[in-house]
Amino acid sequence: MMRALALVAGMLAPAGAIAEGQVTDFPLDNGMQVVVIEDHRVPVVTHMVWYRTGAADEPQGRSGVAHYLEHLMFKGTETLEAGEFSATVARHGGRDNAFTSWDYTAYYQRVAADRLGLMMRMEADRMVNLRLAERDTVTERNVILEERNQRVENDPAALFREQKRAAQYLNHPYGIPIIGWRAEVESLDRDAALDFYRRHYAPNNAILVVAGDVTPQQVRRLAEKHYGAIPANPDLPPRTRPQEPPQLAERRVIMRDARVGTPHLSRAYLAPERDSGTQEKAAALALLANLLGGGQTSVLTEKLQFEDNLAVHTAAYYGGTSLDATSFDIVVVPAQDVSLTDAEAALDTALAEFLAEGIDPDALERIKFQARAELIYERDDTQKLAHRYGRALTQGLTIADVQAWPDILQSVTGDDIMAAAREVFDKRRAVTGFLDKKELTQ
């Protein structure tokens, strides 16, 4: 098995090296960063503009305004009517969308390569010329409130995640939902959206990522024409946020809801983020998540599901790409007639055994191979590549960090992973949550 993995890895490596050599970046005079990822197999491009601002940068009391503005960016400008942006993309055979997270807001279009200039012209237009009618801001606020009803209020698991995250962060805005607290969303208006827009939407706070059938020279010419004329915002605020105080006490969230069909427990440990130039600990945690809960051969699955028959599902996640401290999460769905309390005890036992016994070298090699393969296969999708670079750059990483990541993952040792596990698995910096039916099972 190990010989087979080595042979396949050898075949994959050259393709990865070629792909990474096709990434070029340069700044515009106004401070906008431009990244070009070449892929000439098909005449298609993905055009993305990422803003270094998101839900964690919102003014106090205006939660949800970053997401609200994302919706409103599809309204009119001085040259486009409301809805005309997306209609134009569709008319040219493309598709577009946008998304907001705590650390970034991004807008993208996927179109034929010869339509790139049109996409830049329209995106540059709404970077500075957004025009909002009062009726549009009211209508879109109601759309978001209905979105919150459907995705959060009517889903006990979503409400539970929201409450648990709020308990995780006492002071940092990562504890505030991206969509916003309902009472604060209800108060959002045109002025709130435009204030956020004028403060954060500027070329010196943006990253342009173009991936597909283009050359750096083509992108530079078009970017200078369409984005280069936009002046930088001299009053762009520094990106500082309230930070977490030392976490010294275990936290617990117990939520009961009659709508819950499958009770489960989840635990989130506060964990270090992936930092530029020092990605080794994040790499260890990423591999740790795969070892513990990354599939049918993972530690928790084998122990809790197959050996002890106490769970029907286990998983582990690490959200390392984050501007500030993130979390390492574990989820356990107990088997029928197994209480959440017993499931938690079994989880604690499994983690203690893992920390005592260490890592199976064959399992670590398998996880490393899978991680490498996933990163290389991702290069077949220019949109995923554009997302990988844009997300990293808005969260404090560099192109060099992105390109070094696969080799750093491969260099992580079992001792590195165990050291990271012992550091992170501290209940004093964790939130354990139970989501159960109306009556808590015993």
Side-chain angles (χ1 to χ4, degrees):
M1 175 64 178
M2 297 309 297
R3 177 176 172 80
L5 293 181
L7 288 171
V8 176
M11 290 187 289
L12 290 175
I18 293 170
E20 295 294 9
Q22 294 174 333
V23 178
T24 305
D25 75 301
F26 53 87
L28 300 184
D29 290 342
N30 57 13
M32 189 176 197
Q33 184 177 0
V34 182
V35 178
V36 183
I37 305 168
E38 294 182 71
D39 183 341
H40 300 289
R41 292 174 297 177
V42 292
V44 174
V45 294
T46 296
H47 169 262
M48 305 188 81
V49 171
W50 295 72
Y51 291 97
R52 296 184 183 90
T53 189
D57 302 300
E58 295 166 338
Q60 187 173 10
R62 288 184 171 178
S63 65
V65 71
H67 175 246
Y68 181 45
L69 176 58
E70 176 217 308
H71 278 238
L72 292 171
M73 287 288 283
F74 290 88
K75 302 303 179 183
T77 69
E78 291 182 350
T79 61
L80 295 172
E81 297 294 329
E84 188 177 352
F85 190 110
S86 294
T88 302
V89 175
R91 189 168 64 250
H92 286 269
R95 56 187 176 87
D96 71 320
N97 213 328
F99 46 88
T100 304
S101 187
W102 282 279
D103 293 324
Y104 55 76
T105 310
Y107 302 83
Y108 73 88
Q109 304 86 41
R110 183 173 173 82
V111 294
D114 61 359
R115 305 299 196 274
L116 178 59
L118 174 61
M119 298 303 107
M120 286 196 190
R121 178 173 64 80
M122 293 196 300
E123 196 67 78
D125 179 39
R126 68 175 173 180
M127 182 182 285
V128 288
N129 294 321
L130 184 64
R131 294 294 178 265
L132 299 177
E134 189 66 38
R135 65 180 181 278
D136 289 333
T137 59
V138 173
T139 299
E140 210 58 43
R141 184 180 63 210
N142 291 335
V143 168
I144 292 172
L145 287 169
E146 183 55 31
E147 180 182 337
R148 182 176 169 87
N149 283 338
Q150 293 179 359
R151 297 186 179 181
V152 182
E153 311 290 355
N154 293 328
D155 182 353
L159 284 170
F160 172 65
R161 288 192 297 269
E162 190 175 80
Q163 292 294 308
K164 189 166 72 70
R165 190 175 183 94
Q168 179 89 63
Y169 295 97
L170 294 181
N171 196 50
H172 194 284
Y174 283 169
I176 298 172
I178 293 168
I179 199 169
W181 299 116
R182 183 179 187 87
E184 294 183 352
V185 174
E186 289 173 341
S187 70
L188 294 177
D189 56 17
R190 180 177 179 274
D191 288 343
L194 288 176
D195 285 348
F196 196 81
Y197 173 72
R198 293 175 184 132
R199 187 176 179 85
H200 296 285
Y201 279 46
N204 51 325
N205 201 34
I207 300 163
L208 169 64
V209 182
V210 180
D213 189 20
V214 292
T215 66
Q217 294 77 16
Q218 290 172 321
V219 174
R220 182 187 290 271
R221 177 177 56 81
L222 290 170
E224 288 178 345
K225 175 182 178 181
H226 296 291
Y227 293 108
I230 302 173
N233 178 5
D235 300 319
L236 186 68
R239 204 170 192 194
T240 56
R241 286 116 169 236
Q243 296 298 303
E244 280 295 288
Q247 295 194 2
L248 307 175
E250 178 182 358
R251 302 168 194 174
R252 303 186 74 81
V253 173
I254 298 174
M255 181 172 169
R256 306 177 182 91
D257 193 306
R259 298 170 296 176
V260 172
T262 305
H264 72 267
L265 75 90
S266 65
R267 180 177 294 158
Y269 296 92
L270 197 68
E273 72 280 5
R274 182 178 157 193
D275 287 328
S276 180
T278 56
Q279 302 183 89
E280 290 77 11
K281 188 177 293 184
L285 290 171
L287 294 176
L288 174 64
N290 279 329
L291 283 165
L292 288 178
Q296 294 300 300
T297 59
S298 64
V299 171
L300 294 179
T301 298
E302 288 190 343
K303 175 64 175 174
L304 300 184
Q305 292 183 232
F306 299 142
E307 291 182 19
D308 298 341
N309 295 315
L310 294 174
V312 296
H313 175 71
T314 56
Y317 311 95
Y318 169 63
T321 309
S322 175
L323 192 63
D324 297 317
T326 184
S327 64
F328 189 104
D329 296 75
I330 298 173
V331 176
V332 178
V333 180
Q336 190 173 8
D337 299 326
V338 176
S339 72
L340 291 171
T341 302
D342 288 344
E344 183 186 8
L347 171 62
D348 288 338
T349 298
L351 292 178
E353 290 177 355
F354 172 77
L355 291 174
E357 295 172 3
I359 297 171
D360 177 359
D362 288 343
L364 177 56
E365 193 63 29
R366 183 176 64 252
I367 292 297
K368 283 186 176 184
F369 173 77
Q370 291 171 348
R372 182 170 182 81
E374 287 172 3
L375 287 171
I376 291 174
Y377 294 148
E378 190 177 274
R379 294 171 186 158
D380 276 337
D381 187 327
T382 55
Q383 188 164 319
K384 287 183 179 179
L385 269 180
H387 190 280
R388 183 199 298 181
Y389 279 89
R391 183 182 178 199
L393 293 172
T394 54
Q395 296 183 293
L397 300 175
T398 66
I399 289 176
D401 292 325
V402 176
Q403 295 182 348
W405 181 248
D407 289 338
I408 292 174
L409 283 172
Q410 298 305 308
S411 71
V412 171
T413 67
D415 288 343
D416 295 333
I417 295 173
M418 296 308 298
R422 293 188 182 98
E423 177 184 338
V424 169
F425 290 163
D426 182 346
K427 280 191 175 182
R428 293 171 300 176
R429 297 195 296 272
V431 179
T432 302
F434 286 2
L435 176 63
D436 208 343
K437 298 179 181 179
K438 201 65 175 177
E439 296 300 324
L440 186 63
T441 54
Q442 298 298 323

